[in-house]
Amino acid sequence: MATFQRTRDALLLALDDDSIEEEFLMLFNLHTSKNPNFPYHDVEKFDLDLIDPAECKAEFRVEKNDLPLLCNALRIPETIECRQGSICDGMEGLCMLLRRLAYPCRYSEMISRFPRPVPVLSMITTTVMDYVYQQHYHRISHWNRFLLDPRKLEQYAMAVSQKDSALDNCFGFIDGTVRPICRPGEKQRIIYNGHKRVHALKYQSVVVPSGMIAVMHGPFEGKRHDAGMLHESGLYDLLEQHAFSTTGQQMCLYGDPAYPLRVHLQGPFKHANLTANEHAFNRSMSAVRTSVEWIFGDIINYFKFLDFKKNLKLQLSAVGKYYLVAAILRNALTCLYPNETSKFFDVEPPTLDEYFS
């Protein structure tokens, strides 16, 4: 199938040979593409076997031998087909998405690895991202019965209590994160976060000692308070239904002072005159609560594209979906390579097959 550029070149040759009228030149100039033409025909086709393992880890954040495992766990189809008809191998499409998220880059910079036109690279990457979101978002948006069954809750609570924490029934930690984005052209106040002084989207995450993001809700408007996110997400209703040990003990999450105090949701003492015991409680829980910040850091460190706010533009790309898909991929990487949180609490994360089963 002839490309648009080849067709234009053929018409110019026909004009030079007087095969067509000179009036065509006016139409030719009127319909000249404003996008730069990046050469991709001379680049070798994508072949994972030819990529050096070190380059693979640097570009895709995954060891070369583990990419097929990740592709199978995510159930990426053998062939990716875009709406306009572009076709791509499933492994190549997954690598495009990983490369896009790994570091801020233009699609034109990806041509040396994936020899395709820039619009096609964009469509394939978006198609794969949509597929991962549609197939696996429920694993972090709902109460994950594998990660959060009563026996696992007891295991998590024991790991937390062994770190000299004051609570013996705390199985995880809840917090909100602010992700800066490019300032939009309209309705700026809705997503402006006055505390951080940035235009942003917010997400609410629950992290467990195995280093996994058990639940994530969002995106919310940047101005939304953490307590408001808790109410809108319906998370506390899920805690009242499911947060119990095998013996029926009520289990809880621990959050910062922004969250209300409930049976299944604990926080630090926050009145003015704290007693010595209350100070000790706050210190012991603060030491273990920082683990949730480590997970937020992991997502951004592994997928630095999310930290380049100038390219995160509402109404031009699926900005909110990027972070959710990155969280799913971060969980997948934790299954492959235990992170600092799982090492700190000495709790093994699940395998890829277990998590994506």
Side-chain angles (χ1 to χ4, degrees):
M1 180 177 176
T3 63
F4 181 68
Q5 181 61 42
R6 289 180 178 177
T7 302
R8 285 165 53 85
D9 293 342
L11 291 172
L12 280 178
L13 291 175
L15 178 64
D16 186 61
D17 294 339
D18 295 329
S19 300
I20 57 177
E21 298 294 334
E22 291 186 2
E23 285 78 4
F24 166 77
L25 188 59
M26 182 181 298
L27 296 175
F28 182 87
N29 292 329
L30 287 174
H31 293 84
T32 299
S33 175
K34 297 180 180 179
N35 296 323
N37 182 29
F38 297 101
Y40 61 91
H41 299 289
D42 298 332
V43 181
E44 294 185 4
K45 291 185 178 180
F46 175 82
D47 189 346
L48 184 61
D49 295 333
L50 300 179
I51 302 178
D52 182 79
E55 292 182 358
C56 184
K57 182 64 179 295
E59 293 186 18
F60 309 137
R61 303 297 194 233
V62 183
E63 297 287 352
K64 182 176 179 179
N65 294 334
D66 294 328
L67 271 172
L69 299 177
L70 178 62
C71 189
N72 291 333
L74 293 173
R75 300 185 182 91
I76 303 295
E78 294 185 2
T79 302
I80 302 293
E81 184 173 355
C82 301
R83 293 183 178 179
Q84 100 291 1
S86 295
I87 297 176
C88 173
D89 177 74
M91 176 60 77
E92 183 179 3
L94 175 61
C95 290
M96 285 183 191
L97 175 61
L98 293 173
R99 176 67 182 88
R100 177 65 168 170
L101 293 175
Y103 203 80
C105 66
R106 299 182 178 91
Y107 282 112
S108 59
E109 297 171 1
M110 296 170 55
I111 291 178
S112 60
R113 180 64 71 192
F114 310 101
R116 296 174 183 271
V118 167
V120 175
L121 288 176
S122 175
M123 286 183 283
I124 293 176
T125 302
T126 302
T127 300
V128 177
M129 181 179 68
D130 290 342
Y131 179 85
V132 174
Y133 177 85
Q134 293 167 4
Q135 295 294 317
H136 303 290
Y137 176 57
H138 67 278
R139 302 185 190 281
I140 60 174
S141 63
H142 296 78
W143 188 268
N144 191 312
R145 296 186 180 276
F146 175 77
L147 288 180
L148 300 172
D149 68 358
R151 291 185 179 181
K152 289 290 179 63
L153 298 186
E154 290 178 343
Q155 180 187 8
Y156 300 151
M158 183 178 298
V160 173
S161 65
Q162 287 176 351
K163 291 297 179 180
D164 297 326
S165 69
L167 295 174
D168 62 358
N169 67 334
C170 175
F171 70 88
F173 306 93
I174 181 174
D175 200 2
T177 181
V178 178
R179 293 309 318 151
I181 63 173
C182 184
R183 184 179 64 183
E186 55 185 20
K187 299 182 180 179
Q188 299 176 6
R189 291 188 176 184
I190 296 177
I191 62 169
Y192 184 75
N193 183 276
H195 177 63
K196 299 291 185 179
R197 296 187 178 182
V198 292
H199 294 87
L201 298 178
K202 293 189 70 174
Y203 299 84
Q204 174 185 273
S205 300
V206 173
V207 176
V208 292
S210 62
M212 302 290 287
I213 302 169
V215 185
M216 176 176 283
H217 292 111
F220 297 95
E221 304 92 333
K223 68 176 184 179
R224 187 65 60 88
H225 190 270
D226 286 356
M229 292 194 295
L230 176 69
H231 174 73
E232 187 170 336
S233 67
L235 176 62
Y236 194 77
D237 294 335
L238 295 176
L239 291 173
E240 289 183 323
Q241 297 173 24
H242 305 291
F244 296 92
S245 68
T246 56
T247 60
Q249 180 186 10
Q250 295 172 326
M251 311 298 282
C252 71
L253 294 173
Y254 186 84
D256 60 29
Y259 292 99
L261 290 178
R262 299 289 186 271
V263 174
H264 295 283
L265 184 59
Q266 297 294 307
F269 291 96
K270 49 189 176 182
H271 51 264
N273 299 315
L274 299 181
T275 65
N277 289 336
E278 290 170 343
H279 272 298
F281 175 91
N282 286 357
R283 284 196 302 269
S284 68
M285 294 307 300
S286 177
V288 293
R289 197 192 73 84
T290 54
S291 61
V292 68
E293 303 292 343
W294 298 345
I295 300 296
F296 294 153
D298 282 344
I299 295 177
I300 300 303
N301 288 335
Y302 272 78
F303 304 110
K304 293 184 180 296
F305 176 82
L306 302 174
D307 206 25
F308 186 61
K309 68 176 185 179
K310 291 184 178 180
N311 208 24
L312 300 176
K313 301 177 181 180
L314 289 177
Q315 299 179 341
L316 292 182
S317 60
V319 176
K321 192 180 296 183
Y322 274 124
Y323 193 81
L324 296 171
V325 170
I328 296 170
L329 295 174
R330 176 60 255 186
N331 272 354
L333 293 181
T334 301
C335 295
L336 290 170
Y337 324 112
N339 57 22
E340 291 301 318
T341 301
S342 64
K343 294 177 183 177
F344 176 76
F345 289 106
D346 195 22
V347 178
E348 286 291 326
T351 65
L352 273 178
D353 291 338
E354 290 173 339
Y355 181 65
F356 288 100
S357 61

